[in-house]
Amino acid sequence: MAESEQRANAALLQSSSSRLPDFKQSVKLKYVKLGYHYVITHGMYLFFSPLIAVLVAQLSTFSIKDLHDLWDHLRFNLISAVLCSTLLVFLSTVYFLTRRRPVYLVNFACYKPEDPRKCTRQIFMDRSTLTGSFTEENLAFQRKILERSGLGESTYLPEAVLNVPPNPCMAEARKEARTVMFGAIDELLTKTNVKPKDIGILIVNCSLFNPTPSLSAMVVNHYKLRGNIVSYNLGGMGCSAGLLSIDLAKDLLQVYPNSYALVVSMENITLNWYFGNNRSMLVSNCLFRMGGAAILLSNKRSDRRRSKYQLVHTVRTHKGADDKCFSCVTQEEDENGKIGVSLSKDLMAVAGDALKTNITTLGPLVLPMSEQLIFLATLVAKKVFKMKIRPYIPDFKLAFEHFCIHAGGRAVLDEIEKNLQLSDWHMEPSRMTLYRFGNTSSSSLWYELAYSEGKGRIKKKDRIWQIAFGSGFKCNSAVWKSLKSINPANEKNPWMDEINNFPVAVPKVSAL
């Protein structure tokens, strides 16, 4: 009897468990979270909805006679009507004079070097060996870095570096600069049908190559830009200078109405190849590659319909007051007098601290109210009530659909993916850009955005977060809102003839 009861109870339990859902794994649980975020985020609208309903109900009871009486009241109270009209005109004037002009990204172009500039990892090692500059130990070190770098077999290096022997000189550096800048700008002007004379603002950023006349002057001379153009040449500001240029262009477009701003972001490899044996300087050789981008911004409201994106926010973080941050990326001479860029062992920690500061500023601007309330609650519990709980990391996936993270290196991408809790899909544009083009410095963010466009991922009203790091030390962000869905069939960018080959699996270690 007892045995039969046990079997019956077991069957009942099994039957009950098969009927009851696993709440932790239930797909429907996500709707609870989404509903919570929706209610909190739209709380203001929900609060005012009953008031609006009462107002509408009250207005619906008005008769023609009531409206006529209201008109008579305003007509016979001339002073009240004039004062109200004057106040309305004054407030409207103040609003239109003080409001910020919208900044639109009309289009952008990324330079794709010609096939003779391709440099496989084996070609890189062969050229490094043929220079005779590196010891066997440091050749092995470079091989090890390459195998773990996340770079593929189709990145590009300038002719002067690939030559045997290499020919780093001012003439070759200028040749590389002209090739990259003019290649990107020519494609951009073709895409936008903008005439060079229409451009009123020009900003060129290149960290390590700053000739005289400047790179911006080279652009003015080549395209015969107008004599009153507002031009800037930014140097020494590292891989985040591209977003600094966007921020500067945004401010200038608030001052100069009905203007186009051309931003050119690039780095120059020819004169900045390191031929010494300081390992902290050899890492740059392994990661940096040839590339550049040109971006056309506008503050003309008539350009909204044809523009791709609207700039929503820019946030700049500078940690240069701290000596450790200031010196973690430095161009200097080694013990033998050879110039290179030294990367400190503290680089990852400094970058993480800069990113933390940057997202602390950016978070309140972009995160839904629900995430901010949870963050505030955990902060109060930890700091005020001394509760032993982990700090809450806001879910930035609720604020952005796409992430363009500077492809500085595999380690940087791994850390950001972990800290921001991003998925492989969100990291794909950055990882594929690193694999296909390498670290192209300040222009890498635009190759990443071009990848997302080529994949057909950009939909109308999508939000894009660009994050870049630079020497000094800086972390900068730009937030864009898509104004249209991007059709890959209509796009021309460096990915389009091979976009179907991506994504590819990139192993942690890829032996040479």
Side-chain angles (χ1 to χ4, degrees):
M1 180 68 178
E3 184 178 352
S4 64
E5 284 183 358
Q6 288 178 356
R7 283 200 297 270
N9 290 335
L12 181 62
L13 287 172
Q14 184 176 3
S15 175
S16 300
S17 64
S18 65
R19 290 196 306 267
L20 291 172
D22 183 352
F23 291 105
K24 292 183 179 180
Q25 301 296 327
S26 175
V27 176
K28 293 182 179 179
L29 190 61
K30 70 178 183 181
Y31 297 114
V32 177
K33 184 177 181 181
L34 288 174
Y36 163 71
H37 285 298
Y38 183 86
V39 169
I40 297 298
T41 305
H42 298 83
M44 189 64 69
Y45 300 103
L46 296 174
F47 176 77
F48 281 109
S49 293
L51 297 178
I52 296 174
V54 170
L55 181 61
V56 171
Q58 183 65 32
L59 290 175
S60 65
T61 63
F62 272 42
S63 63
I64 299 297
K65 184 178 182 302
D66 294 328
L67 294 175
H68 187 269
D69 291 341
L70 180 62
W71 169 250
D72 284 341
H73 175 75
L74 291 175
R75 188 174 58 175
F76 293 115
N77 287 272
L78 184 60
I79 295 178
S80 300
V82 169
L83 288 177
C84 290
S85 301
T86 303
L87 180 61
L88 181 61
V89 171
F90 173 75
L91 293 177
S92 300
T93 303
V94 170
Y95 169 74
F96 282 106
L97 289 177
T98 59
R99 65 173 178 168
R100 293 184 66 82
R101 293 186 176 92
V103 175
Y104 303 115
L105 192 160
V106 181
N107 215 324
F108 67 96
C110 299
Y111 175 69
K112 186 175 185 179
E114 298 175 345
D115 285 345
R117 304 282 77 77
K118 277 189 178 179
C119 177
T120 66
R121 296 182 300 159
Q122 189 57 54
I123 289 177
F124 175 91
M125 290 306 305
D126 291 343
R127 296 297 190 274
S128 296
T129 302
L130 290 173
T131 63
S133 301
F134 308 111
T135 64
E136 289 296 326
E137 292 79 6
N138 281 330
L139 286 172
F141 172 74
Q142 292 182 73
R143 181 185 296 272
K144 182 178 178 181
I145 294 295
L146 275 180
E147 291 175 341
R148 292 161 173 78
S149 65
L151 271 68
E153 303 293 348
S154 299
T155 58
Y156 301 93
L157 283 175
E159 183 179 359
V161 174
L162 291 176
N163 280 344
V164 181
N167 182 30
C169 62
M170 180 64 75
E172 288 294 328
R174 287 182 179 275
K175 178 181 177 182
E176 180 193 348
R178 286 193 297 267
T179 301
V180 174
M181 290 194 303
F182 302 160
I185 295 173
D186 286 346
E187 181 180 327
L188 179 63
L189 295 179
T190 301
K191 283 182 175 182
T192 58
N193 292 319
V194 170
K195 299 177 181 178
K197 292 290 186 181
D198 294 334
I199 297 171
I201 299 168
L202 171 66
I203 303 171
V204 179
N205 67 265
C206 182
S207 186
L208 297 177
F209 181 55
N210 293 284
T212 299
S214 66
L215 297 176
S216 60
M218 290 170 60
V219 174
V220 172
N221 175 260
H222 181 79
Y223 291 98
K224 308 306 177 187
L225 301 183
R226 64 199 201 196
N228 65 342
I229 190 166
V230 180
S231 67
Y232 293 85
N233 196 95
L234 306 184
M237 304 194 78
C239 300
S240 68
L243 294 187
L244 289 173
S245 298
I246 295 294
D247 184 64
L248 175 58
K250 177 194 73 173
D251 291 340
L252 290 171
L253 286 171
Q254 301 306 313
V255 179
Y256 297 93
N258 299 315
S259 296
Y260 285 114
L262 174 61
V263 175
V264 182
S265 294
M266 59 168 291
E267 192 51 80
N268 191 281
I269 305 296
T270 298
L271 280 182
N272 296 289
W273 200 254
Y274 176 61
F275 292 97
N277 283 281
N278 186 321
R279 291 193 175 184
S280 67
M281 297 180 176
L282 282 172
V283 176
S284 298
N285 283 10
C286 299
L287 297 178
F288 281 87
R289 294 295 183 267
M290 184 181 182
I295 304 98
L296 185 69
L297 303 175
S298 172
N299 59 10
K300 301 179 181 181
R301 294 188 180 274
S302 59
D303 279 326
R304 179 184 174 88
R305 294 187 62 185
R306 73 182 188 120
S307 297
K308 285 185 172 181
Y309 307 96
Q310 181 174 346
L311 183 60
V312 182
H313 299 293
T314 55
V315 174
R316 298 169 54 172
T317 299
H318 204 307
K319 309 291 287 187
D322 183 282
D323 290 342
K324 185 173 70 172
C325 297
F326 173 77
S327 59
C328 69
V329 180
T330 308
Q331 185 182 29
E332 59 188 7
E333 294 176 332
D334 66 9
E335 57 276 9
N336 295 314
K338 295 183 177 179
I339 298 176
V341 177
S342 174
L343 305 179
S344 166
K345 62 181 180 180
D346 298 319
L347 178 59
M348 292 303 299
V350 168
D353 183 54
L355 176 62
K356 179 181 176 181
T357 304
N358 190 269
I359 64 177
T360 301
T361 305
L362 181 67
L365 300 175
V366 298
L367 285 169
M369 187 60 67
S370 55
E371 286 294 295
Q372 297 188 48
L373 289 176
I374 296 175
F375 177 77
L376 178 62
T378 56
L379 187 65
V380 170
K382 186 176 178 66
K383 298 294 184 181
V384 178
F385 297 102
K386 307 300 181 183
M387 297 175 65
K388 294 182 179 180
I389 58 175
R390 287 185 175 184
Y392 179 71
I393 299 176
D395 187 358
F396 279 91
K397 297 187 293 294
L398 294 170
F400 305 106
E401 285 74 34
H402 308 281
F403 296 79
C404 296
I405 302 162
H406 169 52
R410 183 172 205 147
V412 175
L413 297 180
D414 288 346
E415 283 299 311
I416 293 180
E417 178 181 12
K418 176 182 176 182
N419 286 316
L420 295 183
Q421 300 176 356
L422 301 179
S423 66
D424 291 340
W425 187 88
H426 291 112
M427 297 298 299
E428 186 180 309
S430 299
R431 293 196 185 280
M432 293 304 100
T433 295
L434 182 64
Y435 177 84
R436 177 62 181 83
F437 293 98
N439 181 349
T440 61
S441 190
S442 58
S443 66
S444 68
L445 300 172
W446 302 103
Y447 287 90
E448 294 163 14
L449 186 55
Y451 179 89
S452 295
E453 291 185 352
K455 280 292 184 181
R457 296 179 177 179
I458 305 296
K459 307 301 179 185
K460 188 175 181 179
K461 295 185 179 181
D462 279 0
R463 297 155 297 178
I464 300 100
W465 183 14
Q466 292 181 320
I467 316 170
F469 302 91
S471 57
F473 191 87
K474 298 178 285 293
C475 176
N476 301 316
S477 292
V479 178
W480 304 88
K481 182 179 72 174
S482 176
L483 299 176
K484 62 176 71 174
S485 296
I486 306 298
N487 183 0
N490 300 329
E491 288 303 304
K492 180 183 179 182
N493 71 47
W495 296 95
M496 294 316 301
D497 57 350
E498 52 187 302
I499 191 65
N500 293 328
N501 299 333
F502 294 93
V504 299
V506 183
K508 295 290 185 182
V509 179
S510 179
L512 272 167

